[in-house]
Amino acid sequence: YLGRVADSYYLLFALRQSPEVMQAVGKVVGSSKILLDASTLVPCMAEILLPEDERRVTGLFKSAIKSGVKLYVSQEAIDELNAVIRKARAIYSAEQSRGFHYGNSGLVDAFNANPSQWGAGFLDFLDQFAGEDKPDEDLKLFLKHHLSVEFVSFVNERDAIDKSVLEDISAKLKPTRRTKEMDEAATDRLVRNDVTCLLLIEQLRHAENAVDSYGFSWWWLTSDRAAYALDRSHRSPKACVCMSPDFLLRYLSIQPLPATTDARAARHLPIAVDVAAVGLIPPEIKATVEAALAAADKLPKYMRLRKIRDLMNQARSPHE
C-alpha cells in the first residue's frame, strides 16, 4: 500500500512538473463549456436530502465552476427533469393510495433512504425544484441559484441543425431505447432530445477556432450509456461529443484548485492517495509517464500540442 501511495505521489509530481501537461489540463478543464444532461442533474436534486458536505455531485460542479468551467442547460434537460418529477409524484401517489407502485424513481428512492434528513413530506421535497404553475421557470431558477447552471435556448444553433439528419439518426436510435416502462411518445421524446443535444454541440463547435488548442471547449456531460453509444455510432467530426463525469472528476483532481475553492466541495474530489489506496495505479504507469515525457521533449512544440490534444480528446470519451 505504501509503495502504491509513493508511486501515486511521484506520478502527480511528474505531471505537475511538466508545464505543458499542466497547461493542457488547465486549458482543457478551465475553458470547458459543458451542456448538462438530465442524468447528471438528478443526483444533485437527490443530494438536497444530504448535509452540504456530503453532496458529492454538487461538490463536483461547484469545484468545476471554481476552475473556470461554464455549465449550461438546454430545454431538452428541462423537459426531462420535469418528466422525472412527474414520474416521482405518480409513484409516490401510487404508494400512498395502493401501497405499491410500478417503475423506479431515483428521487423516491433517495427520499426513502434519507427520511430523517428532510423535515417535510415528499411533495414538499419535490416542490424545492418545481411547482405546478410554471415548472420550467422554477427549474431554471433552481439550477441557476443552487448550481450556477445557466439556461440557454440556442436558437441559432437549432435553426442550423439539418432536420433530415436529426430525423434519420432518431429513427435509427429509437429501437434501442424502447423499454417496458416507457410509452411510445416518451421514447420518441427522449430519443429526439439526445440527438438534438449531440447535434447542438456540433453546431457550437463550428464557431470555435480549434487550431493551436487542446481540442474543443463545448461538450455534452452525460451519465447515460445510450448517449455514449449514440456518440460512438454517429462519429462526430474530429472528436466525440460526450464527456463522462469521471473525466471531469479526475482532471479536476490533477489540476491545482484555486485558493477560493470551497474546502467542503474539494473534500470529495479524488486525490492521489485515494486512487492508490484502491490499487488503480499499476507500478508500470510511472515508467510509462517518464518515457512519454522524455519522448515529448524531443518533438517540435506543435507536435507536442497535437499529441496532448489527441490524448485529451481520447480521455474525455466515456469508456462504457
Side-chain angles (χ1 to χ4, degrees):
Y1 170 80
L2 291 177
R4 290 200 302 270
V5 170
D7 282 348
S8 68
Y9 273 118
Y10 178 89
L11 175 60
L12 192 61
F13 175 81
L15 290 172
R16 287 184 172 172
Q17 292 306 304
S18 175
E20 285 185 354
V21 170
M22 294 316 300
Q23 182 184 26
V25 171
K27 285 189 175 182
V28 166
V29 175
S31 64
S32 293
K33 301 172 186 175
I34 296 177
L35 183 63
L36 298 176
D37 181 55
S39 64
T40 65
L41 291 167
V42 173
C44 296
M45 296 162 69
E47 286 178 344
I48 282 189
L49 296 164
L50 302 175
E52 283 193 34
D53 60 352
E54 295 180 18
R55 299 174 183 175
R56 304 181 73 88
V57 182
T58 304
L60 168 63
F61 287 164
K62 288 183 177 180
S63 296
I65 289 169
K66 289 288 187 180
S67 296
V69 176
K70 291 181 173 60
L71 302 178
Y72 300 97
V73 69
S74 66
Q75 188 61 45
E76 285 71 27
I78 296 294
D79 290 343
E80 290 183 20
L81 290 177
N82 271 320
V84 167
I85 293 172
R86 287 195 299 270
K87 182 178 180 180
R89 284 200 181 100
I91 287 176
Y92 177 78
S93 176
E95 278 188 346
Q96 297 301 302
S97 61
R98 299 196 297 269
F100 66 92
H101 65 268
Y102 298 101
N104 299 304
S105 167
L107 295 180
V108 173
D109 293 343
F111 184 84
N112 290 338
N114 301 280
S116 62
Q117 299 289 345
W118 190 255
F122 181 69
L123 296 181
D124 294 315
F125 163 57
L126 293 183
D127 194 56
Q128 296 292 305
F129 317 119
E132 297 284 355
D133 294 338
K134 295 184 177 180
D136 280 23
E137 298 308 310
D138 294 343
L139 278 168
K140 294 172 189 177
L141 198 63
F142 164 75
L143 293 172
K144 180 176 182 178
H145 289 275
H146 184 67
L147 295 172
S148 300
V149 174
E150 295 289 339
F151 172 82
V152 183
S153 58
F154 299 114
V155 174
N156 293 335
E157 289 77 14
R158 290 179 190 279
D159 290 342
I161 290 176
D162 187 327
K163 302 303 185 291
S164 63
V165 172
L166 189 151
E167 296 299 334
D168 181 56
I169 299 175
S170 298
K172 293 177 182 176
L173 180 63
K174 189 173 180 179
T176 69
R177 297 301 298 263
R178 287 197 177 95
T179 65
K180 294 180 180 179
E181 298 180 4
M182 196 177 300
D183 59 33
E184 188 80 9
T187 302
D188 184 68
R189 184 166 56 250
L190 183 62
V191 167
R192 292 178 66 85
N193 282 351
D194 284 352
V195 177
T196 299
C197 287
L198 182 144
L199 296 178
L200 277 176
I201 296 297
E202 290 187 349
Q203 291 298 325
L204 289 163
R205 287 177 173 180
H206 284 323
E208 292 185 337
N209 179 13
V211 177
D212 199 26
S213 69
Y214 297 98
F216 298 104
S217 60
W218 275 102
W219 295 85
W220 180 29
L221 190 76
T222 177
S223 301
D224 189 348
R225 294 184 181 183
Y228 299 162
L230 167 64
D231 194 9
R232 286 192 295 268
S233 64
H234 179 61
R235 297 179 181 275
S236 294
K238 297 186 179 179
C240 62
V241 164
C242 293
M243 179 190 287
S244 67
D246 178 69
F247 172 88
L248 185 60
L249 181 68
R250 298 198 179 282
Y251 274 78
L252 282 174
S253 74
I254 295 174
Q255 181 185 1
L257 294 176
T260 55
T261 300
D262 187 344
R264 290 175 300 180
R267 276 181 56 194
H268 296 299
L269 295 175
I271 59 174
V273 175
D274 295 328
V275 177
V278 293
L280 294 181
I281 300 181
E284 62 270 16
I285 283 188
K286 183 168 71 173
T288 302
V289 170
E290 288 178 328
L293 292 175
D297 282 341
K298 302 173 184 177
L299 295 173
K301 182 176 181 179
Y302 75 93
M303 285 296 295
R304 293 198 298 270
L305 291 175
R306 275 176 47 187
K307 287 186 175 295
I308 292 174
R309 179 200 63 203
D310 293 344
L311 287 171
M312 289 294 185
N313 284 335
Q314 181 182 356
R316 283 181 176 104
S317 305
H319 299 295
E320 297 184 67

